[in-house]
Amino acid sequence: MSARLAQFDTLLSRRRAKLPAAAPQSATRILRDPWGEPVAEFTQFPSDLALLKAAYRLQGDDWIGVLADEAQGRGLHAAWRLALLRADLHGRPRLSAQAGPQWLSAAVEGRPGVRPSGLRQALCASAVRHLWATGWKLVG
């Protein structure tokens, strides 16, 4: 019996020796609001869209995307902006200071038919630059 236990211990010690050393922990990045309060943690470098979702505390049914701002369009050129629409909360609209979409980026002029993915990336980048300009920080 003791021989079997010794053999078992030997197998365990060999297995432990073969396991790779613990991988270095990836640096976590913390998104902080202008007052220095932590808002979100990221284990990888976040995309612009992930930063915006965290900063504006988007929830499951909220929507963020590109909309035409009809107040700023001229002729065939539409003014496109990144917009946030909050979902209803249990059948009641969420309380908001303004009705309609919350504009997150400056307007970018473009003709109808502009490729939406490129436009969305440009508007997300513009909205993130606005976050940095207003004091948001990604630390880590």
Side-chain angles (χ1 to χ4, degrees):
M1 184 71 134
S2 63
R4 286 188 183 182
L5 285 175
Q7 186 180 17
F8 183 72
D9 285 343
T10 311
L11 289 173
L12 282 177
S13 62
R14 279 190 211 155
R15 184 172 177 153
R16 282 190 198 130
K18 288 182 183 179
L19 291 176
Q25 293 287 3
S26 61
T28 57
R29 292 171 176 84
I30 299 171
L31 179 64
R32 295 186 179 271
D33 65 13
W35 301 274
E37 296 296 321
V39 174
E41 271 188 25
F42 300 98
T43 56
Q44 299 176 0
F45 195 81
S47 66
D48 289 342
L49 187 58
L51 287 168
L52 292 170
K53 285 181 177 181
Y56 289 100
R57 294 166 177 85
L58 264 68
Q59 296 179 4
D61 291 337
D62 293 342
W63 181 84
I64 188 170
V66 179
L67 287 179
D69 185 357
E70 294 175 356
Q72 296 193 17
R74 287 184 222 103
L76 292 177
H77 292 278
W80 301 98
R81 296 176 80 176
L82 193 65
L84 169 62
L85 294 172
R86 299 279 183 188
D88 289 348
L89 185 62
H90 303 295
R92 295 184 321 238
R94 289 194 186 164
L95 298 177
S96 173
Q98 66 187 57
Q102 179 181 355
W103 301 116
L104 304 182
S105 71
V108 173
E109 284 193 10
R111 294 181 64 90
V114 173
R115 205 170 138 228
S117 62
L119 185 59
R120 182 176 176 158
Q121 289 174 348
L123 290 172
C124 283
S126 170
V128 169
R129 282 193 303 272
H130 182 283
L131 285 178
W132 302 150
T134 57
W136 288 77
K137 292 181 180 150
L138 188 62
V139 181

